[in-house]
Amino acid sequence: MEAGTETLPINDQMEVTSSQYDKAIAECKHIFDAKMKDYGSAWRILRLSSITDQMFIKAQRIRSIEDKGTQKVEEGIPSEFKGIINYSVIALIQYEMGIAQKPDLSPEEASVLFDKHVKKAKDLMEDKNHDYGEAWRKMRVSSITDLILMKLLRVKQIEDNDGTTLISEGIDANYYDIINYGVFALIKLS
């Protein structure tokens, strides 16, 4: 349990989580909005597999830094988790809208879509958090990293199977889980 939350009743713990979640997402959205102003929606041309691979590279870098205990590039672990969260939102937008041949979203439109998908992720987190009773607070960040990597490998397998599954959740469910794991990591690192 995070320091200071273990003595709170579960409903109060979940309120703390909600507030911490919003703060972490606000940091991610600030980056997302700034990059939209700098680059526009150039990412709209990306196939889902390209987005998944970009997220995999970021998660693999986090794991490498965790294992080595050092890094040579200044951008640290929290920055990589924020990138994973933002790429997950981008993937969900692509999954919903399909791939575009050119940038076709204004910063304002992209911001609305960001909020839509983050709200769905947060609703999912709150439902699962209710059932699991804040269990994520007892996890190590390295375990969260591993879960993200596992989810990304699952997504890659689903993509290689042309998006079909026999019994498992779809690609979008994995992206929503990755957003939530990324937020949990940011909360634990703050």
Side-chain angles (χ1 to χ4, degrees):
M1 221 20 88
E2 300 293 299
T5 61
E6 64 276 353
T7 59
L8 295 173
I10 192 69
N11 287 342
D12 291 344
Q13 289 176 28
M14 292 192 320
E15 284 183 36
V16 169
T17 297
S18 179
S19 174
Q20 291 173 319
Y21 190 103
D22 292 345
K23 182 177 185 253
I25 288 296
E27 293 171 8
C28 294
K29 185 162 189 210
H30 173 75
I31 294 166
F32 180 87
D33 288 344
K35 288 194 175 196
M36 278 297 299
K37 288 180 181 146
D38 285 350
Y39 305 129
S41 61
W43 50 265
R44 287 284 290 130
I45 67 152
L46 292 173
R47 292 172 280 198
L48 280 177
S49 58
S50 298
I51 299 167
T52 302
D53 285 346
Q54 181 62 32
M55 292 166 58
F56 185 80
I57 289 167
K58 289 184 169 300
Q60 194 62 50
R61 180 171 183 261
I62 293 167
R63 185 170 171 158
S64 175
I65 292 169
E66 289 170 345
D67 289 347
K68 293 174 186 168
T70 61
Q71 66 189 63
K72 291 193 173 186
V73 177
E74 190 174 316
E75 211 169 61
I77 289 174
S79 178
E80 296 292 11
F81 278 117
K82 290 173 189 174
I84 288 169
I85 291 165
N86 285 348
Y87 273 114
S88 294
V89 173
I90 287 169
L92 287 162
I93 293 169
Q94 294 294 77
Y95 184 78
E96 176 184 55
M97 295 182 69
I99 300 159
Q101 296 303 309
K102 60 182 181 176
D104 63 350
L105 290 176
S106 70
E108 297 77 23
E109 291 168 322
S111 184
V112 167
L113 291 169
F114 182 100
D115 291 342
K116 171 187 166 184
H117 289 291
V118 164
K119 180 186 181 328
K120 188 168 180 181
K122 185 178 182 189
D123 289 346
L124 175 66
M125 179 278 298
E126 288 173 338
D127 289 347
K128 287 185 175 184
N129 206 28
H130 173 273
D131 291 354
Y132 288 94
E134 296 274 312
W136 66 271
R137 289 194 181 271
K138 295 178 182 148
M139 293 175 65
R140 298 173 187 97
V141 173
S142 59
S143 296
I144 294 171
T145 303
D146 290 350
L147 287 169
I148 289 172
L149 280 165
M150 179 192 67
K151 290 278 183 185
L152 289 167
L153 288 171
R154 287 179 178 180
V155 169
K156 287 167 74 105
Q157 184 62 51
I158 295 169
E159 290 169 348
D160 291 346
N161 293 339
D162 296 322
T164 60
T165 60
L166 298 175
I167 193 169
S168 306
E169 356 176 76
I171 288 175
D172 56 337
N174 285 284
Y175 287 133
Y176 284 116
D177 284 344
I178 291 167
I179 290 170
N180 289 332
Y181 284 132
V183 170
F184 290 158
L186 288 175
I187 292 169
K188 291 186 77 64
L189 288 169
S190 65

